[in-house]
Amino acid sequence: MEETFELSSDYIPLCDLLKYMGVTETGGMAKHLIAEGMVLVDGEVELRKTCKIRSGQTVTGEGFAIRVT
């Protein structure tokens, strides 16, 4: 599933994006997914839970892809 997320500010923390887009049900689940190395930002594994995701970046993982605009 590829979805698009439109930013309303300069950035969104990675864990918040995953929760908001429904990849995980809670922020805690999002943080666990990130800590396990199962989330990629622009094709690179991202382990920082609150990594700032900005317009033009793509967040992917098993079964999801989110393009941030």
Side-chain angles (χ1 to χ4, degrees):
M1 90 180 171
E2 177 160 331
E3 298 183 66
T4 301
F5 176 80
E6 190 171 323
L7 278 175
S8 57
S9 60
D10 289 341
Y11 68 90
I12 184 170
L14 179 56
C15 58
D16 292 352
L17 176 66
L18 296 178
K19 180 181 169 188
Y20 182 82
M21 295 301 290
V23 174
T24 62
E25 291 181 17
T26 67
M29 290 172 69
K31 290 177 182 179
H32 179 73
L33 195 67
I34 296 164
E36 292 293 312
M38 309 214 31
V39 178
L40 287 76
V41 175
D42 294 335
E44 299 285 328
V45 173
E46 181 56 71
L47 299 174
R48 296 173 295 163
K49 298 168 186 76
T50 57
C51 171
K52 295 177 180 178
I53 304 301
R54 301 179 190 279
S55 181
Q57 292 187 296
T58 302
V59 177
T60 57
E62 189 173 323
F64 70 92
I66 304 164
R67 189 168 36 106
V68 180
T69 60

